[in-house]
Amino acid sequence: GNAPPGVDPEALSWFQTVDADRSGFISVKELKQALVNNNWSSFNDETCLLMINMFDKTRSGRIDVYGFSALLRFIQQWRSLFQHYDRDQSGSISFSELQQAFSQMGYNLSPQFSQLLLARYAQRSPNPSIQLDRFIHICMQLQSLTDAFREKDTALAGSARLSYEDFLTMVVTRML
């Protein structure tokens, strides 16, 4: 049928294909089956859950056609950014490309921290690199935690005093 207002007809068509159980909603499982990285690997479960939660206005653990349409626009914006930082067009982001991306995005992070992220999120290999899903995941978490930190660092000094429980609260409310 015709796409509802604000929903791209292509998004509606894809929604109908992805909605395997015809519930009128997309679950994390259905989303994971629909999204692939440049190397044809499925998107990671954690990233799919993070994105579903971001576009799930009813807190039901699934998204309707409007949320799915917004999610597709969101992923396309990230894909464009990813391709911009994938300087060698390899389909993944290497350590040096990740460092450049963070710097250009305004994050002043040490090479050691970037290496830690690479070790945590890249597939094990002699030359570890980040796929699109993990790039989205890292950037969403960095932004969320940066926002939380800025709430405590009101002087924008780059440091803040907080209790252990404040720290845990920041992480738990932003990461789960």
Side-chain angles (χ1 to χ4, degrees), residues 23-34:
S23 65
F25 295 92
I26 303 293
S27 67
V28 171
K29 181 181 175 190
E30 289 169 326
L31 184 64
K32 180 182 170 66
Q33 290 172 337

Side-chain angles (χ1 to χ4, degrees), residues 35-61:
L35 299 176
V36 293
N37 290 298
N38 290 341
N39 67 356
W40 297 103
S41 65
S42 294
F43 265 44
N44 173 276
D45 288 342
E46 289 175 318
T47 306
C48 289
L49 180 60
L50 204 60
M51 291 189 303
I52 288 273
N53 287 340
M54 184 176 185
F55 292 95
D56 173 16
K57 301 303 177 210
T58 62
R59 297 283 167 240
S60 64

Side-chain angles (χ1 to χ4, degrees), residues 59-102:
R59 297 283 167 240
S60 64
R62 30 185 220 164
I63 53 175
D64 61 13
V65 70
Y66 297 99
F68 185 72
S69 183
L71 175 75
L72 290 182
R73 286 190 300 273
F74 174 81
I75 291 172
Q76 191 50 48
Q77 291 168 341
W78 279 111
R79 189 177 300 277
S80 294
L81 198 61
F82 180 86
Q83 289 168 341
H84 173 75
Y85 292 127
D86 180 16
R87 305 245 189 264
D88 64 2
Q89 303 301 303
S90 66
S92 61
I93 291 184
S94 66
F95 172 75
S96 62
E97 291 167 335
L98 189 63
Q99 275 287 108
Q100 283 182 326
F102 288 153

